[in-house]
Amino acid sequence: MIPFFNKKKKNNKESHIHIESVPKHIAIIMDGNGRWAKQRKMPRIKGHYEGMQTVKTITRHASDIGIKYLTLYAFSTENWSRPKDEVNYLMKLPGDFLTTFLPELIEKNVKVETIGFIDQLPEHTRKAVLEAIEKTKDNTGLTLVFALNYGGRKEIVSAVQLIAKRYKDNELELSEITEDSFAEYLFTKEMPDPELLIRTSGEERLSNFLIWQSSYSEFVFVDTLWPDFGTAELDKCIETYHSRHRRFGGL
Ligand code: FPP
């Protein structure tokens, strides 16, 4: 066992969630790193550093309670407009995270994947994530998905372009374009839609995250800033999800 999970200040009590009843796919908008740092008169990047520690805690817990997919919004297509130093730091985080955490991810049978336009990431960021993807590709436990340079609208437009090209080349009939076949052109083609989507920090919007895939997701918004989000709160979000009656538009 490689001990590097950061347990300080996180409310890591033993979970009472039943493994049989957890959602298959949880997606999280990890918001509030900047405010967490500001409240402590620290630079914003310190908030992102602490946010990375929370990613470790939540990944370990998700794996322990039997979640099959955990998708984390780490960098959006809009985040490039942040100050250069902050963007550079955010681009360094996946490498830092994987340097310290990949051995435990491997030990826990976690598979790493990404969604987003990763070709446009700096070389060092892309290299770190591609190496993790390669090293974990045969793992069968939790799939940990980082949304990196991800934007839902761009994802949909890119799917439309691919479909239009195939139609133009006579490779596709109009009637073959269905909801199911369309989803095959999205980054998430191998994944189930998230049943539960969580956003931290009190903001209540999707911010271009999984806009196609979250059509029927339950949304849970919590006030906690991401660096303070812990395992007990994830369990509470799952309980909230269970308390809702999912009808998919029926009765
Ligand atoms: C939003 O908070 C957060 C981000 C844009 C970055 C999220 C990144 C992490 C949590 C670390 C990622 C870790 C890995 C391993 C890739 P914000 O900065 O918008 O916070 P604010 O709204 O309070 O300013």
Side-chain angles (χ1 to χ4, degrees), residues 29-37 44 47-55 72-76 79 82 86 90 93-98 146 148 199 201 203 225-226:
I29 302 176
M30 311 181 285
D31 198 7
N33 295 345
R35 275 163 284 168
W36 185 94
R44 290 178 57 83
H48 295 313
Y49 173 81
E50 286 300 325
M52 176 176 73
Q53 306 309 327
T54 302
V55 171
L72 302 175
Y73 206 6
F75 193 89
S76 76
N79 286 152
R82 293 191 175 206
E86 185 172 345
L90 286 169
L93 275 183
D96 291 355
F97 173 81
L98 292 164
F146 286 108
L148 281 168
R199 182 169 188 154
S201 92
E203 306 294 340
L225 304 177
W226 176 250

Side-chain angles (χ1 to χ4, degrees), residues 97-146:
F97 173 81
L98 292 164
T99 303
T100 52
F101 203 55
L102 190 57
E104 181 153 348
L105 291 176
I106 291 170
E107 189 194 286
K108 289 184 92 63
N109 197 20
V110 173
K111 182 173 176 174
V112 176
E113 284 188 2
T114 59
I115 55 172
F117 300 89
I118 64 163
D119 289 356
Q120 293 155 16
L121 296 175
E123 175 64 21
H124 64 93
T125 315
R126 201 171 58 241
K127 193 164 164 272
V129 293
L130 289 178
E131 189 184 315
I133 291 170
E134 174 59 27
K135 286 194 171 148
T136 61
K137 67 177 191 306
D138 297 324
N139 289 354
T140 55
L142 169 73
T143 299
L144 173 62
V145 185
F146 286 108

Side-chain angles (χ1 to χ4, degrees), residues 39-96:
Q39 284 171 2
R40 288 159 181 80
K41 302 195 177 4
M42 291 172 172
R44 290 178 57 83
I45 60 170
K46 175 68 176 152
H48 295 313
Y49 173 81
E50 286 300 325
M52 176 176 73
Q53 306 309 327
T54 302
V55 171
K56 293 178 180 176
T57 307
I58 294 303
T59 300
R60 180 189 219 179
H61 190 60
S63 163
D64 288 347
I65 63 175
I67 306 288
K68 289 302 292 174
Y69 293 86
L70 177 66
T71 301
L72 302 175
Y73 206 6
F75 193 89
S76 76
T77 45
E78 288 73 39
N79 286 152
W80 296 108
S81 64
R82 293 191 175 206
K84 201 163 175 283
D85 285 354
E86 185 172 345
V87 169
N88 288 344
Y89 188 75
L90 286 169
M91 286 297 132
K92 207 169 89 57
L93 275 183
D96 291 355

